[in-house]
Amino acid sequence: MQNIIPHLWFDKEAVEAAEWYVSLFQNSSIIDITTIPDTPSGDTVLVDFQLANLRFSAISAGPYFSFNPSVSLMVSCSTKEEVDRLHDNLSANGTELMPLGDYPFSKRYAWVQDRYGLSWQIMLVENMEEHPRIRPTLLFTGDVCGKAEDAIDYYVSVFKEANKGFINYYEAGEAMDARAKINYGEANIRGTQMIVMDHGFGGDFTFNEAFSFMVLCENQEEIDYFWDKLSFVPEAEQCGWVKDQFGLSWQITPANMNDILMKGTKEEVKRVTEAFLKMKKFDLAALEKARLG
């Protein structure tokens, strides 16, 4: 079971975006769609979907957060034709961040923001079997530039099923920002493989709630543990959301929360929603009491 779920925040386009993404990748599907009525954002739509090797969750909950290149999705491709196909689709009505071309690290690569603002890095790789199809990629900029490896080490220390992978460092004088240390790093966190790097060439975008990671917890002990380890900004604590010392947002949530919201009766969903909207850290006993009425 995938325990770390990338979560995407949209204004109104979660279903539209998820269906489009699913159409672009093999072995992908919409898992479930539901509407939660009467939230502070009005009627909120939740979408669970699978893209290749990775499960995602998305929400339509108002125009409060916008995607930026601090978090992107790295896509490994086995052929140039696949790179070109994904580039043509994902860049349509979007923005080119690095144009399609030949780079020292890949013979066919592009970095684009799609029509919804979500960033994708599309790369030809030589040994496809050694690369996950899609990996979230964290780019440390601004005040946290230079802290990418610190973040990897911290996350590996927090999550028991985690390990640090390959790390590559900027050579002397290679990065324009002298604080930047690593230009490529890998981490495996509870089975979700990520790429982490410092931005050596400037950039004023930072992590925000548009792209967060859900940590699925089996019991209150896990919720308490991850809340204690990942919450560093008290004013960001709300409805299971926290923000760590690097500015990255996490959702510390019960593993069955989406099942309750997507498969429960209207009355159960209403009671659970009313209960969790009043919470910062989730209280499993109180949520179960609300579900049962």
Side-chain angles (χ1 to χ4, degrees), residues 114-187:
D114 67 26
R115 66 189 70 171
Y116 306 106
L118 184 61
S119 292
W120 302 79
Q121 298 188 58
I122 313 159
M123 183 169 66
L124 178 67
V125 299
E126 293 184 358
N127 301 311
M128 187 65 192
E129 64 278 3
E130 298 179 4
H131 297 81
R133 178 67 159 146
I134 300 175
R135 286 177 288 178
T137 300
L138 309 180
L139 187 61
F140 284 64
T141 69
D143 292 342
V144 294
C145 182
K147 297 181 179 180
E149 189 170 15
D150 293 340
I152 293 175
D153 291 338
Y154 187 72
Y155 299 149
V156 168
S157 76
V158 168
F159 294 93
K160 295 176 182 178
E161 305 92 358
N163 61 276
K164 185 176 182 178
F166 174 74
I167 303 291
N168 194 67
Y169 297 91
Y170 284 106
E171 295 181 3
E174 184 180 2
M176 292 175 58
D177 191 326
R179 297 172 300 174
K181 296 176 182 177
I182 67 172
N183 59 20
Y184 182 88
E186 295 177 342

Side-chain angles (χ1 to χ4, degrees), residues 247-264:
L248 190 64
S249 290
W250 302 80
Q251 298 181 55
I252 315 302
T253 187
N256 66 341
M257 177 63 87
N258 273 16
D259 284 342
I260 293 172
L261 296 178
M262 291 183 168
K263 299 176 182 178

Side-chain angles (χ1 to χ4, degrees), residues 12 14 19 21 40 59 63 67 84 120 130 133 135 140 142 149 162 190 196 207 224 226 232 264 293:
K12 301 175 181 178
E19 290 178 341
Y21 298 149
I59 189 171
F67 297 114
D84 292 354
W120 302 79
E130 298 179 4
R133 178 67 159 146
R135 286 177 288 178
F140 284 64
E149 189 170 15
R190 278 188 152 186
V196 182
F207 302 129
D224 294 346
F226 287 116
F232 283 76

Side-chain angles (χ1 to χ4, degrees), residues 63-121:
Y64 302 109
F65 310 109
S66 298
F67 297 114
N68 67 57
S70 63
V71 186
S72 60
L73 295 171
M74 182 75 76
V75 182
S76 300
C77 301
S78 59
T79 67
K80 290 184 177 181
E81 291 76 16
E82 178 71 358
V83 173
D84 292 354
R85 180 185 70 82
L86 288 172
H87 168 266
D88 292 346
N89 280 277
L90 291 168
S91 64
N93 300 314
T95 304
E96 295 268 8
L97 299 178
M98 290 179 66
L100 182 65
D102 186 339
Y103 292 86
F105 51 84
S106 176
K107 294 181 179 179
R108 199 71 170 168
Y109 168 89
W111 188 358
V112 303
Q113 281 183 289
D114 67 26
R115 66 189 70 171
Y116 306 106
L118 184 61
S119 292
W120 302 79
Q121 298 188 58

